[in-house]
Amino acid sequence: GAGGAGGACGAGGGGAGDWATGGTASMSGDYPDPFTDDPGAACALVCGMTLGPCYAETIVRKDISEGTPGLPMRLALRVVDESCKPIDGAEVDVWHTSATGLYSGNDSVAMCTLNDAEALAKRWFRGVQTTDANGRVDFDSCFPGWYSGRTIHIHFTVRVGGMEYVTSQLFFPDELADEIIATQPIYKDRGARDTTNENDSVISAEAAPDYTLKTEKMADGALLAWKTLVIRSSLADTLCQAPGGMGGPGGPPPGP
């Protein structure tokens, strides 16, 4: 497809050819604008989820992979307010694991890096970008791996004027994640994951679709993943909390 507002991947991706490997170096970068839809006049607020223990120092950059291998992914995010007006100049800070399920950074905690020497030395899959006049930021990355006890996810924080408006998480369609884990190099080496969007501890199965990225396979085999993030108009407005999984609030995850 040409990357309109729909385009959710089924078990084959909806693009020609196989998934790409080799990380962001294999990306053409020539991808359609996924935000062709009019967001309308009323947009549902994105609610908060736990920061988690794996946040660490971030870096201003578009390509957050540091050359790390994996299935290449363009992550496109659009920040708007509750009246659906794009927010220019918002900082979007993202972080997620490598394909092998490890977070990076020597300022993270041991349960996030498993004290892996390369993970400690690197700062892979962490970055921040500032939205343009359309409220958009792009990151070039790789599809995240999994670790025990959590569904595959991307953490993000949106700041305006240096102030945190929301910290939350994004997910992938389970069928897409299952296909990648079952068939793709690096991912399949680790076997099946133990947690999906249906039984995650941080997001309830009922709420997960509201935080699931839209996805489409590109002609070069990269994944285009996108989402509109709706933030509070004012910090005086109370931030809602996303319904937690397992019948409780979304607390910190267990270790990898």
Side-chain angles (χ1 to χ4, degrees):
C9 278
D18 295 328
W19 288 112
T21 57
T24 60
S26 68
M27 297 171 73
S28 72
D30 181 23
Y31 306 133
D33 177 4
F35 299 113
T36 52
D37 59 316
D38 179 353
C43 287
L45 200 63
V46 62
C47 297
M49 291 180 222
T50 176
L51 176 78
C54 301
Y55 185 78
E57 183 185 335
T58 192
I59 301 172
V60 177
R61 56 186 175 181
K62 178 180 176 181
D63 188 329
I64 62 175
S65 72
E66 297 188 358
T68 310
L71 189 154
M73 174 179 71
R74 163 70 56 82
L75 177 65
L77 301 171
R78 175 174 61 176
V79 181
V80 303
D81 65 17
E82 290 172 276
S83 65
C84 310
K85 178 173 169 278
I87 305 292
D88 189 357
E91 284 188 342
V92 183
D93 189 349
V94 301
W95 64 104
H96 65 77
T97 73
S98 65
T100 57
L102 294 176
Y103 289 95
S104 64
N106 58 8
D107 53 339
S108 191
V109 299
M111 64 175 269
C112 301
T113 61
L114 297 187
N115 286 322
D116 177 85
E118 187 180 7
L120 290 170
K122 300 279 193 176
R123 203 150 290 275
W124 63 49
F125 306 118
R126 301 182 183 277
V128 62
Q129 287 281 278
T130 301
T131 57
D132 62 15
N134 298 315
R136 179 169 172 178
V137 292
D138 288 345
F139 294 95
D140 287 344
S141 190
C142 296
F143 186 78
W146 61 270
Y147 55 90
S148 183
R150 285 302 319 275
T151 193
I152 294 175
H153 60 283
I154 293 175
H155 293 268
F156 71 91
T157 292
V158 180
R159 304 181 190 94
V160 180
M163 302 297 287
E164 178 186 336
Y165 272 65
V166 66
T167 293
S168 197
Q169 300 179 27
L170 296 170
F171 309 100
F172 293 88
D174 272 329
E175 60 276 10
L176 172 70
D178 289 343
E179 178 206 346
I180 290 172
I181 291 168
T183 64
Q184 297 309 302
I186 306 175
Y187 303 88
K188 68 180 180 181
D189 298 346
R190 303 182 59 228
R193 59 197 178 130
D194 62 11
T195 309
T196 68
N197 297 351
E198 290 292 311
N199 65 347
D200 188 61
S201 58
V202 170
I203 190 69
S204 71
E206 296 73 31
D210 294 335
Y211 298 86
T212 297
L213 291 148
K214 293 182 178 179
T215 57
E216 188 167 341
K217 185 192 286 180
M218 297 291 97
D220 63 358
L223 175 68
L224 177 62
W226 70 96
K227 186 76 174 163
T228 296
L229 307 175
V230 186
I231 64 169
R232 296 177 281 175
S233 303
S234 164
L235 288 177
D237 300 334
T238 303
L239 177 63
C240 52
Q241 293 299 310
M246 317 298 219

